[in-house]
Amino acid sequence: MDRQGGCCLWCGRSFGPLVRATTDHLVPRVKGGPSWPENEVAACSRCNGQRGHTTPADWYAECRGRGWEPDAGALRAALDSLDAAVTARGGQRRARPYLAAQRRRLARAAPVDAPRGGAGWQTPRP
């Protein structure tokens, strides 16, 4: 929670008595995601439950479509941290391609310095 400033990565709501924090795996366990801190972000129970096994890129777009403000910078940092951990520790054969695809989508579409609620994954074309 401290990495994200006490807010849900996906909708931006602050955690408190009415908004319960949960652990959301960026690469879901069923897709080969490890139970490492680098694969975990704080999400409210609503976002975590509704996301299910949706990819981070697709859920990011869904959140923006709902009018929420997912944090592109925090998402990028979490994916980069997980990639570094997988590289350093090895293994995670099933998670590697999934993680690489998500990082490519973010690098292509989201500006590097996008603030919360910035252009996001779906950058308009000229």
Side-chain angles (χ1 to χ4, degrees), residues 82-94:
L82 177 57
D83 184 59
V86 167
T87 300
R89 295 179 193 163
Q92 307 310 314
R93 182 177 39 128
R94 287 179 37 212

Side-chain angles (χ1 to χ4, degrees), residues 67-118:
W68 301 342
E69 296 186 6
D71 191 338
L75 178 56
R76 179 181 294 101
L79 290 171
D80 290 348
S81 175
L82 177 57
D83 184 59
V86 167
T87 300
R89 295 179 193 163
Q92 307 310 314
R93 182 177 39 128
R94 287 179 37 212
R96 284 176 187 246
Y98 181 97
L99 176 60
Q102 296 304 302
R103 291 182 73 229
R104 277 192 308 272
R105 285 182 68 184
L106 180 58
R108 271 195 319 261
V112 173
D113 57 350
R116 181 178 280 281

Side-chain angles (χ1 to χ4, degrees), residues 11-54:
C11 69
R13 294 189 302 169
S14 295
F15 299 123
L18 299 177
V19 180
R20 187 172 60 94
T22 63
T23 300
D24 186 14
H25 290 86
L26 289 173
V27 178
R29 305 268 336 252
V30 299
K31 303 276 187 187
S35 287
W36 297 345
E38 296 88 355
N39 190 33
E40 299 172 349
V41 295
C44 68
S45 56
R46 174 188 68 182
C47 288
N48 195 357
Q50 290 180 4
R51 177 179 170 220
H53 302 304
T54 305

